Amino acid sequence: MELGELIGRRRSIRLFRPWRPVEREKVQTVVEAMRLAPRLLGLDLVRIVVVYKERLSPIELGRLKTPTTTAQLDMAPVLIMPFADLSVLARGLDGSGLKALAAAGVLPRSLGWSDDYIEATVVPEVYRALADDEDRVPLYRRTEPGQTVSRRLLVTAVTAVGLAQTYGLLGAFDQGLGAQLSAINFAAAKELLGYPDDWLPSSPIFLGYPAESVGAGGQRPREPFERDFHLGRHGVPFPRDPDVTRQLAEEGMLQPAAPLPWRRAELRGVASILGLPT
Ligand SMILES: Cc1cc2nc3c(=O)[nH]c(=O)nc-3n(C[C@H](O)[C@H](O)[C@H](O)COP(=O)(O)O)c2cc1C
């Protein structure tokens, strides 16, 4: 699928076919896509736990639910749990990740990259400035006194996880799957999955075959483009060229907005097939 159409087709799928498992190779493809998302400062801090839901008992499943994540947990056959491994932030700020990128020819000498430049300039002025910022938050769940991390560094790390989630979502839709990012009860997940204290969890990707139609009732509402997107400085709307939007509509990136006229009927029909309240 072309990227524009893929972006246009992606939407949060909340109704899955519980009877249809996701092929192992499709799960792996989603995770492979997540691994290729941009990285922060040459650090590999994204961790993944793939959870096949059939291996959880009904009681365990029930404990994972939250007010915003209910029956989709019963329906989606696979959860892909992403984490930021904070221990990487704690020990990876010596520039070795960037040196490896320089050695691999990724960061070219023509742009000034060398081991000396990384050690003498990038580590103190970028890594250390980010890491030593005075605005700090606890590093770990059970933090010893003094174990804090700069809020900026943490936010940047979480951004890297967000990019991995994005790549995973697009990888899912590209393979004809449906997917959604959804909260779970992270305390229950910690007990069930046994991940280390220094892995910061984020919303899992719920993965499965959609029980809804591909369009799932239309592209979901967004605020007006010109209100949220600015040109040059705050308050100057980025002008939206109608020729461009027409072209994007033809390519499938911009699609008719929700709710399509038949959406309520679809939701009732799918609910009755799945045995959910209508
Ligand atoms: C980090 C994150 C967490 C989310 N958690 C939930 C959730 O707990 N329950 C839910 O129904 N949707 C959740 N969503 C999905 C959003 O509600 C959804 O993306 C939004 O309504 C826009 O719709 P779209 O994804 O179909 O474009 C989450 C999205 C993000 C980015």
Side-chain angles (χ1 to χ4, degrees), residues 50-159:
V50 174
V51 180
Y52 283 91
K53 221 201 48 211
E54 65 197 6
R55 299 188 194 155
L56 300 180
S57 71
I59 291 176
E60 288 171 332
L61 264 186
R63 290 179 52 220
L64 289 175
K65 289 182 180 171
T66 74
T68 59
T69 301
T70 55
Q72 62 262 56
L73 201 48
D74 300 319
M75 291 180 277
V78 180
L79 305 185
I80 298 180
M81 282 280 299
F83 304 85
D85 181 352
L86 300 181
S87 69
V88 173
L89 294 186
R91 63 186 149 73
L93 297 174
D94 58 358
S96 52
L98 290 188
K99 284 185 193 167
L101 289 179
V106 176
L107 303 175
R109 293 194 78 83
S110 58
L111 296 183
W113 289 99
S114 66
D115 282 3
D116 284 350
Y117 177 67
I118 291 168
E119 274 168 30
T121 305
V122 179
V123 168
E125 290 186 23
V126 180
Y127 278 58
R128 295 282 19 134
L130 193 57
D132 299 340
D133 194 72
E134 280 175 14
D135 182 8
R136 306 190 73 77
V137 290
L139 178 55
Y140 300 130
R141 191 179 302 269
R142 292 182 199 87
T143 292
E144 304 291 329
Q147 269 188 313
T148 59
V149 64
S150 107
R151 188 189 304 274
R152 275 171 63 210
L153 188 57
L154 188 61
V155 167
T156 317
V158 170
T159 303

Side-chain angles (χ1 to χ4, degrees), residues 10-14 66 68-69 72 165 180-184 202-203 220-222:
R10 186 219 58 83
R11 61 209 59 183
S12 295
I13 293 296
R14 294 183 173 81
T66 74
T68 59
T69 301
Q72 62 262 56
Q165 288 164 316
Q180 183 207 2
L181 288 178
S182 202
I184 52 170
S202 187
S203 298
R220 278 62 196 275
R222 296 288 191 269

